[in-house]
């Protein structure tokens, strides 16, 4: 056995092998099976979900404010400015966390021509239901010039966030999260 001398660089050859696709698939399948069996052993409680989610969205005004998005838009038909409002990605994160026994994620599935496409998914391990949702975002400006690489990355991240939010909010029944959303709105208004 060689002892290292202070300041000496020790080199050693390490043999590494890449797991084949079948082995990787078996590992992932085993992980998912374990998550499903855990979800069946520890089923969620809708009452606990509501209590936890409402507690989180009403923690303070700053948290409640992040649970709602508001975008100004010009309505050409009405000839006036309007605000589009709805549950945000932060709200979906709170709902997902409180709901439990599920998996969710998002990824870019294509970047072609003028658009980047992101796909979000939500898989309820307890009920064995899955939702996928795709979102497209333009990656060209109003003159048809393609965004910079950094701006395409920002746009792709935004598309992933929106796709993930949409998948989560479609995967968890709306009847269950609307009261939580209403609590966030009331918290913002000082209720």
């Amino acid at each position: 056995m060689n002892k290292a001398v202070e300041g000496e660089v020790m080199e050693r050859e390490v043999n590494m092998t890449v797991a084949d696709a079948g082995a990787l698939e078996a590992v992932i399948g085993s992980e998912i099976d374990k998550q499903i069996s855990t979800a069946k052993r520890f089923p969620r409680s809708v009452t606990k979900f509501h209590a936890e989610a409402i507690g989180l969205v009403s923690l303070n005004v700053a948290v409640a404010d992040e649970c709602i998005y508001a975008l100004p838009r010009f309505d050409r038909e009405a000839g006036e400015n309007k605000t589009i409002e709805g549950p945000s990605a932060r709200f979906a994160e709170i709902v997902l966390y409180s709901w439990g026994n599920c998996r969710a994620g998002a990824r870019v599935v294509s970047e072609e021509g003028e658009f980047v496409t992101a796909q979000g998914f939500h898989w309820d391990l307890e009920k064995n239901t899955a939702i996928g949702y795709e979102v497209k975002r333009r990656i060209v400006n109003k003159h048809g010039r393609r965004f910079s690489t950094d701006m395409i990355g920002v746009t792709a991240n935004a598309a992933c966030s929106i796709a993930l939010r949409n998948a989560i909010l479609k995967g968890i029944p709306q009847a269950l999260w609307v009261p939580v959303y209403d609590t966030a709105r009331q918290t913002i208004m000082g209720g």
Side-chain angles (χ1 to χ4, degrees):
M1 182 172 190
N2 295 340
K3 289 192 171 187
V5 177
E6 189 174 339
E8 181 181 357
V9 176
M10 299 287 294
E11 288 187 28
R12 180 169 57 154
E13 191 174 310
V14 178
N15 291 329
M16 297 183 71
T17 59
V18 178
D20 64 43
L24 184 59
E25 187 176 319
V27 168
I28 292 170
S30 175
E31 288 174 357
I32 292 171
D33 286 346
K34 187 164 192 108
Q35 289 174 342
I36 290 170
S37 65
T38 301
K40 297 291 186 181
R41 273 188 295 152
F42 303 102
R44 73 177 59 91
S45 159
V46 172
T47 303
K48 286 181 183 176
F49 159 73
H50 274 125
E52 186 168 29
I54 286 172
L56 289 170
V57 301
S58 62
L59 197 58
N60 57 49
V61 175
V63 171
D65 193 47
E66 285 191 13
C67 289
I68 299 169
Y69 74 83
L71 297 172
R73 289 287 189 255
F74 182 73
D75 185 342
R76 290 184 180 157
E77 289 180 19
E80 62 186 19
N81 289 322
K82 291 188 174 185
T83 301
I84 299 170
E85 181 185 292
S88 70
R90 299 295 79 80
F91 176 79
E93 288 170 2
I94 288 172
V95 169
L96 176 71
Y97 171 81
S98 301
W99 187 241
N101 289 342
C102 48
R103 296 168 56 104
R107 64 189 175 142
V108 172
V109 292
S110 76
E111 178 193 319
E112 297 174 4
E114 297 184 355
F115 294 92
V116 63
T117 304
Q119 180 184 67
F121 75 89
H122 174 268
W123 181 6
D124 187 320
L125 298 165
E126 190 176 319
K127 298 288 187 181
N128 198 23
T129 58
I131 298 287
Y133 203 92
E134 288 191 357
V135 170
K136 282 187 171 197
R137 286 289 176 258
R138 293 179 65 84
I139 53 173
V140 296
N141 65 19
K142 64 183 179 182
H143 303 292
R145 283 189 231 118
R146 193 169 167 89
F147 291 171
S148 70
T149 303
D150 286 344
M151 196 59 205
I152 290 172
V154 168
T155 304
N157 287 339
C160 283
S161 186
I162 294 165
L164 179 59
R165 177 202 62 199
N166 292 351
I168 291 168
L169 296 181
K170 293 214 182 283
I172 299 170
Q174 185 177 11
L176 298 176
W177 59 257
V178 165
V180 178
Y181 180 72
D182 290 342
T183 300
R185 289 177 47 87
Q186 290 168 3
T187 302
I188 292 168
M189 292 185 261

